[in-house]
C-alpha cells in the first residue's frame, strides 16, 4: 500500500466516523476572534508606520547636523616627496 492509498483509507475512515456536534455559538466566536485579529493587525500596522516615521525624522535630524555629504576638513598635511 503506497502513501496515497493510506491517506485515502484514512480519509474514508474519518468520513465514516460519527461527526462531533458543532457548538451553537461557533459563528459568534469566529466573528469575535476575527474582529480582535483585525484590530490587532491595524494597531501593529499603525505602530509600524509610526516607527518608520520616527526613524526617518531621526535620520533627517542626524544628517542635517552631521552633514555626511560634505568633504571633511583636512586635518593632516598633504603627503609630499614619496
Amino acid at each position: 500500500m503506497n502513501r496515497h492509498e493510506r491517506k485515502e483509507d484514512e480519509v474514508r475512515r474519518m468520513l465514516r466516523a460519527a461527526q462531533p456536534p458543532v457548538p451553537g455559538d461557533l459563528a459568534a466566536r469566529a466573528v469575535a476572534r476575527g474582529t480582535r485579529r483585525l484590530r490587532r493587525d491595524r494597531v501593529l500596522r499603525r505602530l509600524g508606520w509610526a516607527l518608520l516615521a520616527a526613524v526617518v525624522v531621526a535620520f533627517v535630524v542626524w544628517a542635517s547636523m552631521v552633514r555626511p555629504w560634505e568633504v571633511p576638513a583636512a586635518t593632516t598635511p598633504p603627503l609630499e616627496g614619496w
Side-chain angles (χ1 to χ4, degrees):
M1 181 180 287
N2 65 15
R3 182 178 178 193
H4 178 70
E5 291 172 351
R6 275 196 310 268
K7 281 195 159 285
E8 187 174 328
D9 286 342
E10 185 180 345
V11 168
R12 287 183 194 278
R13 271 188 268 118
M14 286 174 27
L15 289 175
R16 272 190 245 124
Q19 301 296 322
V22 177
D25 65 337
L26 182 64
R29 289 189 307 183
V31 168
R33 185 175 181 188
T35 303
R36 282 193 309 268
R37 183 178 172 115
L38 287 174
R39 189 177 306 128
R40 186 188 69 215
D41 289 348
R42 190 179 315 129
V43 167
L44 288 174
R45 193 176 313 115
R46 286 180 182 170
L47 284 174
W49 280 111
L51 180 64
L52 179 65
V55 167
V56 168
V57 168
F59 175 77
V60 168
V61 169
W62 170 81
S64 66
M65 295 177 76
V66 174
R67 299 177 190 253
W69 56 86
E70 291 181 356
V71 178
T75 56
T76 59
L79 246 102
E80 295 176 2
W82 266 74

